[in-house]
Amino acid sequence: MCLTSDTVWTLNGPLSVKNGATLCIEPGTVIRATAGGTDVYVAIEQGAKIDARGTANSPITFTSNAGNPRSGDWGGILIIGKAPISGGGTATTEVVNLTYGGTDASDNSGVMTYVQALYTGARINGDKEFNGITFYGVGNATVVENVGVFFGDDDAFEWFGGTVNVRNAIAVNIKDDMFDWTQGWTGTATNLYGLREASYTAITEDPRGIEGDGNLDGQNPGDSGQSNPTINGLVLINGAPVSMADMIKVRRGSGLTLTNGYVAFANENAEASDFIDLLDGAGDANGANINMSLVGDAASGLDITDIKSVSGATINVTEGTTPTVDRNIFNWTGYSFE
């Protein structure tokens, strides 16, 4: 199946790509999702592939079909693979009951380049909701580069295990977490950029820039293969006059190697309960696998000493005002930064 750019496509139900099939999407294609239903989403199942090779001049756009689009108008994009998850074996996806996980770290779910998703995050109930783009046990032969999620009602990007690498990802005006991982993700992310505008005041109970868990919901602290990703280049900016729960939260057995990070506020009334927090009632971060190096913009009002650490963790914070990821690499989205 190939969606061509000469047609504006309407997604009015689930598009589930089955084992052995490939969803092809031409550069410049626009897919408009019918608003108001949790059964409107795209799922690339285990053994299936997506071939969405947009370009900087002709990106691929998934958006709402509503006249007045809002966060949560439709589900989002689910990529489902056979790469390992914490504890081994397989599991069932949070929202549509599909199997993910396995033993193939090099599993290939296809290619996504220059793809953006807007107004995602439809909620099934208080505990189950779609994200913008969700990676379930996705392997590292999958190519994900230059992707964006805007106006998401839950998380922008979430990784449930897997080994997939992601390059150049932007999250703007996300109601919950900008970047979220759990259940054993061990990939590398390069150039993550998260921003909440001054005018975007919608929040969940505990919105975060990063929320990183080692095992699923802290329920299996003894699991082998817990999350331990690498992030090279990170910008997190809260410009809204609402409080984020944490700018960076890593917990429940997760490790993290972070280099070239930058955290700031962009509004005199912006705040966060914590700058960096590695503690949690369901399990702290794995201090032996925590190594962070980042810049905190104290001039913006951020308290760069507000760090809740754990034994063995290495956290180096310097004061500065220069973001570590060039926002111009996201010009392809057409987004105008404040």
Side-chain angles (χ1 to χ4, degrees):
M1 179 179 185
C2 196
L3 305 182
T4 56
S5 60
D6 58 357
T7 299
V8 176
W9 298 85
T10 300
L11 180 68
N12 54 21
L15 174 55
S16 198
V17 184
K18 302 297 183 180
N19 181 25
T22 297
L23 173 62
C24 166
I25 307 175
E26 285 188 352
T29 299
V30 176
I31 300 98
R32 296 189 176 277
T34 300
T38 56
D39 62 344
V40 182
Y41 59 85
V42 176
I44 310 300
E45 297 189 22
Q46 283 189 324
K49 291 183 179 180
I50 186 169
D51 187 4
R53 302 172 192 251
T55 68
N57 293 326
S58 297
I60 294 166
T61 301
F62 291 82
T63 189
S64 169
N65 201 31
N68 180 27
R70 301 174 183 272
S71 302
D73 271 354
W74 64 291
I77 302 170
L78 294 74
I79 312 296
I80 303 165
K82 302 177 182 178
I85 59 177
S86 60
T90 60
T92 302
T93 57
E94 178 181 19
V95 287
V96 293
N97 296 325
L98 296 171
T99 297
Y100 66 97
T103 59
D104 187 0
S106 299
D107 190 34
N108 185 351
S109 294
V111 177
M112 290 180 64
T113 59
Y114 296 99
V115 174
Q116 55 186 337
L118 292 79
Y119 306 108
T120 58
R123 291 178 177 269
I124 296 174
N125 55 43
D127 298 319
K128 294 184 178 182
E129 57 279 312
F130 288 87
N131 304 301
I133 302 176
T134 311
F135 304 96
Y136 285 100
V138 177
N140 59 27
T142 308
V143 176
V144 182
E145 297 182 355
N146 300 298
V147 287
V149 175
F150 298 81
F151 301 100
D153 202 60
D154 194 53
D155 302 332
F157 299 91
E158 184 162 7
W159 293 262
F160 287 81
T163 56
V164 65
N165 303 315
V166 176
R167 178 179 294 272
N168 302 344
I170 184 170
V172 176
N173 291 343
I174 306 303
K175 191 173 180 181
D176 197 30
D177 306 323
M178 298 171 183
F179 306 100
D180 187 336
W181 66 79
T182 188
Q183 209 171 3
W185 179 46
T186 57
T188 295
T190 304
N191 297 333
L192 302 183
Y193 200 111
L195 170 66
R196 181 184 283 266
E197 293 177 332
S199 60
Y200 191 75
T201 57
I203 58 171
T204 56
E205 181 180 354
D206 51 6
R208 297 180 168 111
I210 279 180
E211 181 180 283
D213 290 7
N215 61 92
L216 187 62
D217 297 332
Q219 296 176 356
N220 302 103
D223 273 357
S224 60
Q226 299 205 26
S227 302
N228 192 19
T230 297
I231 300 176
N232 298 319
L234 169 73
V235 169
L236 300 173
I237 300 174
N238 180 22
V242 297
S243 180
M244 303 282 285
D246 308 278
M247 296 306 289
I248 296 176
K249 178 83 166 182
V250 184
R251 61 186 183 180
R252 300 175 180 175
S254 182
L256 171 63
T257 298
L258 168 64
T259 58
N260 297 318
Y262 173 83
V263 178
F265 296 144
N267 184 303
E268 63 181 6
N269 296 316
E271 60 181 2
S273 296
D274 296 298
F275 170 29
I276 298 172
D277 185 4
L278 306 184
L279 307 178
D280 188 77
D284 299 338
N286 183 344
N289 288 334
I290 296 290
N291 195 323
M292 299 189 199
S293 177
L294 65 162
V295 174
D297 190 344
S300 72
L302 177 72
D303 180 359
I304 64 173
T305 68
D306 179 19
I307 300 172
K308 295 179 173 65
S309 191
V310 295
S311 176
T314 300
I315 302 175
N316 294 311
V317 178
T318 58
E319 185 176 348
T321 59
T322 303
T324 51
V325 175
D326 183 359
R327 68 188 190 185
N328 290 322
I329 65 177
F330 304 108
N331 286 345
W332 63 271
T333 65
Y335 173 72
S336 297
F337 287 85
E338 289 186 334

